[in-house]
């Protein structure tokens, strides 16, 4: 029987458009992407990051709780001949496998107990691209409401991955003109053991 979380995301992903651009931090730092290798789009939703990574020549595992999102992504990947493997899992409950990747991208997903597992899932020299909300989102008077459980504290993402070599870290602020939420964006590399 599907979980409440899976039901919620299945409903949302059934109504959303599939093709949207990759997350900002991935687009801004695309020059750092390896020309080949393996990638993981964690909590991929409709797979906008997985699609982008596969278009750059990477073989991508796309993991999400929503079987609706994954079915739509798989159909698109098959039509476009993209190397995307869709995997349904409740990663908050099941965690990550022991597989390692050349690149991991996480956007708009936060489950702090996975931070160490994400770091272990990077191959030596592997890259992490992470982008999600910060708590300033909840403090801006005009901001859309968001559960603080899914918002980072100031510098939390940078501190959580301090054992990696941080190439880029930036926190944005709420922009009422463009109605954009405050975000933390990180690009970091695992050591070469």
């Amino acid at each position: 029987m599907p979980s409440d979380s899976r039901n919620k995301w299945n409903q949302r992903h059934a109504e959303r458009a599939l093709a949207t651009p990759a997350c900002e931090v991935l687009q801004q730092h695309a020059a750092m992407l390896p020309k080949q290798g393996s990638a993981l789009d964690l909590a991929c939703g409709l797979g906008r990051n997985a699609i982008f990574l596969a278009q750059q020549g990477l073989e991508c595992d796309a993991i999400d709780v929503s079987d609706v999102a994954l079915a739509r992504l798989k159909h698109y990947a098959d039509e476009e001949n993209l190397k995307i493997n869709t995997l349904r899992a409740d990663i908050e409950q099941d965690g990550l496998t022991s597989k390692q990747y050349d690149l991991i991208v996480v956007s708009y997903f936060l489950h702090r107990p996975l931070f160490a597992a994400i770091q272990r899932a990077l191959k030596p020299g592997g890259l992490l691209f992470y982008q999600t909300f910060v708590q300033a989102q909840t403090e801006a008077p005009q901001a859309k409401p968001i559960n603080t459980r899914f918002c980072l504290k100031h510098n939390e993402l940078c501190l959580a991955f301090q054992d990696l070599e941080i190439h880029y870290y930036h926190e944005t602020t709420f922009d009422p003109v463009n109605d954009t939420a405050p975000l933390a964006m990180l690009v970091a590399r695992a050591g070469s053991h």
Side-chain angles (χ1 to χ4, degrees):
M1 179 173 190
S3 68
D4 289 342
S5 176
R6 190 160 98 203
N7 285 333
K8 174 183 85 170
W9 288 109
N10 278 343
Q11 183 177 5
R12 284 191 191 175
H13 291 312
E15 299 164 359
R16 288 184 175 162
L18 184 64
T20 58
C23 69
E24 188 177 341
V25 73
L26 195 54
Q27 290 182 64
Q28 287 178 356
H29 300 278
M32 294 180 72
L33 297 178
K35 301 295 180 210
Q36 61 184 15
S38 60
L40 170 63
D41 185 357
L42 188 63
C44 68
L46 290 169
R48 64 190 184 137
N49 297 318
I51 291 167
F52 179 78
L53 293 169
Q55 289 170 337
Q56 308 308 308
L58 298 168
E59 185 169 335
C60 192
D61 286 349
I63 299 176
D64 201 88
V65 70
S66 170
D67 40 10
V68 169
L70 294 173
R72 292 183 65 199
L73 175 58
K74 179 165 180 28
H75 178 74
Y76 181 85
D78 289 348
E79 280 188 337
E80 298 296 319
N81 199 28
L82 297 173
K83 293 181 181 177
I84 299 175
N85 308 308
T86 56
L87 307 162
R88 197 193 70 71
D90 184 345
I91 50 180
E92 289 187 11
Q93 300 297 317
D94 306 331
L96 294 176
T97 67
S98 59
K99 186 172 178 181
Q100 288 191 308
Y101 298 90
D102 296 298
L103 185 148
I104 297 174
V105 62
V106 186
S107 66
Y108 303 108
F109 174 77
L110 178 62
H111 185 62
R112 291 169 177 89
L114 283 176
F115 285 167
I118 290 169
Q119 195 164 319
R120 285 191 305 272
L122 286 169
K123 289 181 179 178
L127 286 167
L128 172 63
F129 293 81
Y130 207 127
Q131 173 177 319
T132 198
F133 301 111
V134 292
Q135 282 187 356
Q137 165 68 14
T138 62
E139 297 160 5
Q142 309 96 313
K144 295 175 185 168
I146 190 166
N147 186 333
T148 56
R149 179 178 147 223
F150 303 114
C151 294
L152 294 160
K153 295 180 179 106
H154 176 63
N155 282 334
E156 181 181 1
L157 193 59
C158 196
L159 293 170
F161 293 101
Q162 65 186 344
D163 291 341
L164 301 179
E165 179 184 334
I166 308 236
H167 287 266
Y168 175 81
Y169 185 75
H170 181 68
E171 290 184 14
T172 65
T173 57
F174 176 68
D175 178 356
V177 174
N178 297 308
D179 193 28
T180 55
L183 299 173
M185 294 181 274
L186 169 97
V187 179
R189 187 182 301 275
S192 354
H193 309 309

